[in-house]
Every structure is written in structure tokens, then in C-alpha cells.
């Protein structure tokens, strides 16, 4: 475990308060938005899910920043990030854009942490030649519907209909009940709403196509350097689903107590401890520096 005391941090803490301000960098495909904080010889890179953004990691990053350099991106089509050119992108398309970000920020090795749809992107990144992640943490991984075409069509239609009928604002108001446990306080609920309100329709629609067209089992991070976690009250990617995924690939799995799907928002301290524990994998024999 990384040395030092993990200081408690409020789930709804602002990005400004945690020194986690927005930045942009120009890459070959346009612009990528990201947040950065902390310092250290090791780097932790954080990928958000379909209904969120880089700011959602603020509470967790405030803890992690005492131990490592911490970078959270806004996926293509989110925040200030340029959307992908593909109408129906796969996880590899997102992974390729992530690689451009790591190159631009001179991250040569990292612990890559993905939540939900971000976990699918992280798993795909492991398949790229020359990829720079030495270890992976997949939280509440979205399995994807690429292997279930009939179900994929239903999910796609339902999500895009909600986008049309409710708009971003209407969707944001409903999300806390789905993404958080019944024990979640108002700061966590407000954080979920706030981050969802920053969604861009074109980026969200592309992410829906990814969710419905790809399958996380197509990609295989190394079993010796990957861990899977899930909120014990997650109703989106349930502990049973996440545990079965981990078992299929030989990954260690553990639940996060008192947390729903947005586990790192609801329980930032406990989530940070698990990420810091995985940080030791970067120093394991066989990893490059």
C-alpha cells in the first residue's frame, strides 16, 4: 500500500477546491479536455462513465493526488473534448484518442482506472500496440451489448429516446436515484446531477453507440495486473455481473461497501484506497518504467 494517511474528502467537493482545474491539449483529432492534480513519480489516469465527466473524479482525486500524478480525461464528445469522427465508434477508437492524450502529457507508464463505460475503454486500451498502462482497475465495468444484438437495439432506442424526450436536464435529475445507493447524501446526489448537466448530446449519443456495439470480453488486460471493483448496491452493473466478469478473466474482485454504481462519487475515500493499493502493481516485477 502507498505510504501516508488518506484524508477524508467530501463526495461533492468542487474541482477548484481540490486543485483539479480543467485543461485542454491539442492532439491529432482535435482537442482533449482533462483535469490534473497531485504529483509523484507514478501516474494514475481516470476514465469516467457514460453519464459523467472528468469533474466527477474530484473527491477521489483529492485523495490520490497526495500519492501520485492524477489525470482525469473528458472522453471525446464530453466537456471540451472533440467528438470522434465515427458515427458508431468502438472502444478502440476511444482508446486511440486516450493514447494521444498520454503521449501529449508525456505519461510513459500509468495505472489506468476506468469506471463503467470507461472500464470498457480501459480494457480496449490494453489491446493497443505500445500502450502505456502497466496496471488496470476496472470499476463497475460496462460489459456492453455487442454480443447481444437484440438487447442492444432495445437499450439504444431507450437511451436515445430519453435524450430526445427529457434532454440533458431531465436526464440529470433522474440519475442520482439510479447511480447512487439509498444511503447517499445530498452532496453526492448534487455531484451526480452537476456532472450530468455538463453532458453534450453528440458525445452522449456516440457513447450510447459504443455501449450497444462493443463487448468488453473482446479485450483482455493482463490478469496479473488488473483488479475489478463494484459498489455493493450497484443496480446498473451489479456486483454479480462484475464478479462474473472478473471470474471469466481471472481478475481479483471486491465490492465497495455502502456504494451504488457511482462508487467513486459516493465513497471517494474507500475507492481511493483501493486504487492506491493497485498502484503497487506498477512496481511489480516485469513492469516497465
Amino acid at each position: 500500500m502507498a505510504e501516508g494517511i488518506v484524508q477524508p474528502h467530501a463526495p461533492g467537493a468542487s474541482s477548484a477546491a481540490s486543485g483539479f482545474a480543467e485543461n485542454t491539449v491539442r492532439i491529432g483529432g482535435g482537442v482533449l479536455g482533462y483535469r490534473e492534480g497531485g504529483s509523484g513519480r507514478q501516474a494514475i489516469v481516470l476514465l469516467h462513465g457514460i453519464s459523467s465527466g472528468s469533474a466527477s473524479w474530484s473527491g477521489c482525486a483529492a485523495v490520490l493526488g497526495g500519492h501520485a500524478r492524477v489525470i482525469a480525461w473528458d472522453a471525446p464528445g464530453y466537456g471540451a473534448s472533440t467528438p470522434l469522427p465515427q458515427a458508431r465508434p468502438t472502444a478502440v477508437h476511444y482508446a486511440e484518442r486516450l493514447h494521444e492524450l498520454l503521449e501529449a502529457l508525456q505519461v510513459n507508464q500509468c495505472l489506468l482506472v476506468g469506471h463503467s463505460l470507461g472500464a470498457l475503454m480501459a480494457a480496449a486500451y490494453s489491446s493497443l500496440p505500445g500502450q502505456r498502462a502497466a496496471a488496470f482497475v476496472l470499476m463497475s465495468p460496462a460489459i456492453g451489448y455487442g454480443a447481444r444484438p437484440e438487447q442492444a437495439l432495445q437499450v439504444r432506442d431507450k437511451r436515445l429516446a430519453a435524450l430526445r424526450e427529457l434532454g440533458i436536464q431531465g436526464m440529470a435529475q433522474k440519475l442520482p436515484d439510479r447511480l447512487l445507493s439509498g444511503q447517499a447524501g445530498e452532496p453526492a446526489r448534487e455531484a451526480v446531477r452537476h456532472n450530468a448537466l455538463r453532458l453534450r448530446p453528440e458525445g452522449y449519443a456516440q457513447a450510447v453507440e459504443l455501449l450497444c456495439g462493443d463487448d468488453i470480453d473482446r479485450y483482455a488486460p493482463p490478469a496479473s495486473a488488473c483488479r475489478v471493483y463494484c459498489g455493493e448496491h450497484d443496480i446498473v452493473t451489479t456486483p454479480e455481473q462484475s464478479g462474473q466478469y472478473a471470474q471469466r478473466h481471472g481478475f481479483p474482485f471486491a465490492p465497495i461497501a455502502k456504494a451504488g454504481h457511482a462508487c467513486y462519487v459516493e465513497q471517494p475515500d474507500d475507492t481511493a484506497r483501493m486504487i492506491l493499493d493497485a498502484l503497487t502493481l506498477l512496481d511489480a516485477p516485469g513492469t516497465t518504467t
Side-chain angles (χ1 to χ4, degrees):
M1 174 72 97
E3 295 180 354
I5 298 173
V6 175
Q7 298 294 335
H9 197 80
S14 71
S15 300
S18 63
F20 208 44
E22 288 184 276
N23 299 280
T24 59
V25 64
R26 185 160 294 280
I27 46 90
V31 170
L32 277 175
Y34 69 98
R35 295 172 188 267
E36 182 171 356
S39 62
R41 65 182 181 85
Q42 296 172 318
I44 301 172
V45 177
L46 308 168
L47 311 182
H48 61 82
I50 193 170
S51 300
S52 197
S54 62
S56 63
W57 289 101
S58 298
C60 197
V63 178
L64 299 175
H67 304 266
R69 180 187 183 190
V70 182
I71 297 165
W73 84 337
D74 281 305
Y78 287 72
S81 297
T82 304
L84 292 166
Q86 297 85 5
R88 295 188 173 183
T90 67
V92 169
H93 294 125
Y94 287 88
E96 290 170 343
R97 195 62 64 86
L98 174 62
H99 194 68
E100 291 186 84
L101 176 66
L102 299 186
E103 286 183 324
L105 299 183
Q106 299 182 329
V107 176
N108 296 318
Q109 179 184 265
C110 69
L111 169 64
L112 185 57
V113 181
H115 175 258
S116 196
L117 195 65
L120 177 50
M121 299 173 191
Y125 184 72
S126 73
S127 71
L128 295 189
Q131 62 92 5
R132 300 183 180 199
F136 299 81
V137 171
L138 307 181
M139 292 186 172
S140 301
I143 304 302
Y145 297 93
R148 297 166 285 172
E150 291 186 6
Q151 193 173 0
L153 185 60
Q154 295 174 355
V155 171
R156 178 182 181 274
D157 289 349
K158 181 177 180 180
R159 282 186 174 268
L160 295 182
L163 179 62
R164 289 192 306 270
E165 295 165 9
L166 298 177
I168 297 299
Q169 186 168 5
M171 290 169 53
Q173 297 308 312
K174 292 177 174 291
L175 278 174
D177 290 338
R178 180 166 172 78
L179 301 190
L180 300 172
S181 76
Q183 306 168 52
E186 185 54 31
R189 296 177 66 84
E190 177 56 29
V192 167
R193 286 190 292 264
H194 173 76
N195 288 302
L197 284 170
R198 302 191 70 204
L199 292 173
R200 291 162 52 191
E202 66 272 32
Y204 179 80
Q206 282 188 320
V208 169
E209 299 293 354
L210 163 61
L211 175 66
C212 296
D214 213 336
D215 183 340
I216 198 171
D217 286 315
R218 294 173 181 169
Y219 312 105
S224 61
C226 184
R227 297 177 181 179
V228 177
Y229 301 104
C230 179
E232 68 173 348
H233 301 298
D234 191 335
I235 62 172
V236 180
T237 55
T238 64
E240 292 76 17
Q241 176 183 295
S242 296
Q244 290 168 4
Y245 164 70
Q247 186 175 35
R248 286 197 299 274
H249 295 274
F251 302 145
F253 170 74
I256 299 175
K258 300 179 181 179
H261 184 63
C263 50
Y264 65 97
V265 175
E266 191 167 356
Q267 299 295 341
D269 299 331
D270 289 347
T271 302
R273 290 186 184 97
M274 292 175 172
I275 293 173
L276 289 173
D277 187 58
L279 194 62
T280 61
L281 295 171
L282 298 189
D283 292 324
T287 59
T288 59
T289 58

